[in-house]
């Protein structure tokens, strides 16, 4: 089957919490089919028709945890291609077209990582296959994938990671590493598809002792002991400008490596 016929539908998979109305649809400039998982105090489902014969499948859920939300969205999607999203971005009008074209141009791609207008990336500014550890440089908002590739390989977002778990972030990096280790083709395409907005994070409260402790736990869980030690030093050095006004290097080092050595997350 030709790719243009096979890759015919895109859905945004958007996770949010305690939304009381549907204003996020307009606020995020959603113009393509979308599955929204709204974690709140009830369980319900509704389908909202938007312009150009597009729809939003709105699911209210009492489950908690960002990874559970993303897994639920994948399960409730029926699209060929999915785009991971949160409630803090605004999509380009031609977002769907850009995604479809990239998959048409790269027929062997299982996953394509895109760029955002106002968030610089450390990935190379070209179309290429990033190396394994480059998966740690990717944010969830950049990730698209062929849904069949994820379902067929029984891949999910790790429910031990992400907002709502108490373990900090990193679920998207673990997901990409799992995909990489399964042999899926992961491309970076330097095409910008959305703008990030400034919303309050549900898990990040600054570069404090707790942040570095959880960072140590998560990288140990994702990378194993020795690689997490090397990556931990790299992170502390190259991210120093971000945290230097909030915590001294020695204390950040202490709590990050305490998280690595204690390795509490796996329990």
């Amino acid at each position: 089957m030709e790719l243009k016929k096979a890759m015919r539908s895109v859905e945004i998979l958007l996770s949010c919490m305690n939304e009381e109305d549907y204003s996020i649809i307009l606020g995020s400039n959603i113009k393509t089919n979308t599955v929204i998982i709204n974690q709140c105090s009830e369980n319900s489902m509704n389908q909202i028709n938007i312009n150009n014969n597009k729809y939003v499948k709105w699911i209210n859920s009492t489950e908690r945890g960002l990874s559970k939300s993303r897994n639920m969205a994948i399960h409730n999607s029926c699209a060929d291609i999915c785009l991971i999203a949160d409630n803090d971005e605004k999509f380009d009008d031609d977002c769907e077209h850009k995604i479809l074209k990239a998959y048409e141009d790269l027929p062997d791609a299982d996953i394509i990582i895109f760029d955002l207008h106002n968030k610089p990336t450390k990935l190379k500014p070209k179309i290429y296959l990033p190396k394994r550890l480059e998966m740690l440089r990717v944010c969830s908002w950049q990730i698209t994938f062929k849904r069949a590739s994820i379902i067929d390989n029984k891949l999910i977002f790790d429910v031990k990671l992400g907002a709502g778990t108490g373990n900090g972030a990193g679920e998207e990096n673990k997901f990409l590493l799992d995909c990489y280790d399964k042999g899926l083709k992961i491309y970076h395409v330097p095409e910008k598809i959305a703008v990030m907005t400034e919303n309050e994070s549900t898990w990040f409260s600054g570069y404090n002792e707790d942040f570095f402790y959880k960072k140590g736990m998560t990288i140990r869980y994702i990378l194993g002991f020795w690689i997490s030690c090397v990556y931990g030093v790299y992170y502390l050095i190259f991210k120093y400008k971000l945290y230097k006004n909030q915590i001294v290097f020695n204390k950040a080092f202490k709590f990050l490596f305490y998280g690595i050595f204690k390795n509490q997350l796996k329990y």
Side-chain angles (χ1 to χ4, degrees):
M1 183 182 294
E2 294 180 4
L3 180 69
K4 290 184 179 180
K5 293 180 180 179
M7 296 294 104
R8 62 187 179 277
S9 64
V10 174
E11 277 184 334
I12 297 169
L13 307 184
L14 192 152
S15 297
C16 57
M17 285 193 73
N18 298 318
E19 294 290 331
E20 297 179 354
D21 55 36
Y22 300 142
S23 59
I24 192 174
I25 298 172
L26 180 62
S28 297
N29 194 38
I30 290 173
K31 296 185 176 180
T32 188
N33 293 338
T34 302
V35 178
I36 294 180
I37 307 297
N38 179 37
Q39 293 185 333
C40 58
S41 59
E42 65 175 85
N43 292 304
S44 61
M45 183 184 297
N46 189 24
Q47 183 161 301
I48 306 157
N49 292 321
I50 56 178
N51 57 348
N52 299 323
N53 296 317
K54 301 296 183 179
Y55 69 88
V56 171
K57 184 185 292 184
W58 187 286
I59 301 173
N60 290 319
S61 173
T62 55
E63 273 197 331
R64 292 294 183 267
L66 182 55
S67 288
K68 289 183 179 180
S69 175
R70 299 208 192 286
N71 292 335
M72 181 182 292
I74 295 170
H75 177 75
N76 282 276
S77 173
C78 57
D80 299 307
I81 302 167
C82 297
L83 164 63
I84 296 295
D86 291 320
N87 65 337
D88 51 3
E89 57 191 302
K90 189 172 184 178
F91 304 101
D92 289 359
D93 289 340
D94 58 350
C95 173
E96 181 177 10
H97 171 74
K98 290 176 180 178
I99 293 171
L100 283 171
K101 185 178 185 306
Y103 278 93
E104 289 171 0
D105 293 343
L106 299 167
D108 63 331
D110 296 295
I111 295 172
I112 297 180
I113 300 163
F114 289 91
D115 288 345
L116 303 174
H117 290 284
N118 58 338
K119 291 288 182 181
T121 178
K122 290 188 177 180
L123 297 177
K124 298 171 187 175
K126 64 178 183 178
I127 297 173
Y128 77 109
L129 294 162
K131 302 296 185 183
R132 188 175 190 273
L133 287 183
E134 288 182 276
M135 301 300 120
L136 299 176
R137 298 177 173 181
V138 180
C139 296
S140 57
W141 324 292
Q142 300 173 257
I143 301 171
T144 68
F145 52 80
K146 289 177 182 173
R147 183 171 174 270
S149 298
I150 302 306
I151 299 297
D152 292 348
N153 285 280
K154 297 180 174 59
L155 291 159
I156 61 171
F157 283 86
D158 195 316
V159 297
K160 293 181 182 178
L161 299 173
T165 64
N167 292 324
E171 77 286 348
E172 70 272 34
N173 309 115
K174 176 69 160 51
F175 174 77
L176 287 176
L177 287 169
D178 290 343
C179 293
Y180 187 97
D181 292 341
K182 281 278 189 176
L184 271 60
K185 286 289 185 70
I186 304 174
Y187 281 90
H188 173 242
V189 172
E191 183 76 65
K192 297 177 175 64
I193 59 173
V195 174
M196 294 302 302
T197 58
E198 296 297 329
N199 285 344
E200 184 178 355
S201 174
T202 59
W203 69 270
F204 181 71
S205 57
Y207 292 99
N208 52 28
E209 296 170 359
D210 185 63
F211 170 84
F212 284 99
Y213 173 68
K214 289 177 179 177
K215 187 71 178 180
M217 287 196 306
T218 56
I219 62 174
R220 166 71 185 268
Y221 179 69
I222 294 171
L223 299 174
F225 178 71
W226 291 111
I227 298 178
S228 68
C229 289
V230 175
Y231 180 77
V233 173
Y234 165 87
Y235 183 90
L236 289 166
I237 294 172
F238 285 91
K239 298 291 186 180
Y240 180 67
K241 289 182 179 179
L242 294 178
Y243 67 81
K244 66 178 182 179
N245 294 326
Q246 300 180 48
I247 188 171
V248 298
F249 179 89
N250 288 347
K251 186 172 283 189
F253 183 97
K254 172 185 174 181
F255 279 91
L256 185 140
F257 275 86
Y258 180 55
I260 290 176
F261 279 93
K262 191 168 184 180
N263 194 25
Q264 188 177 32
L265 183 109
K266 75 172 185 179
Y267 300 108

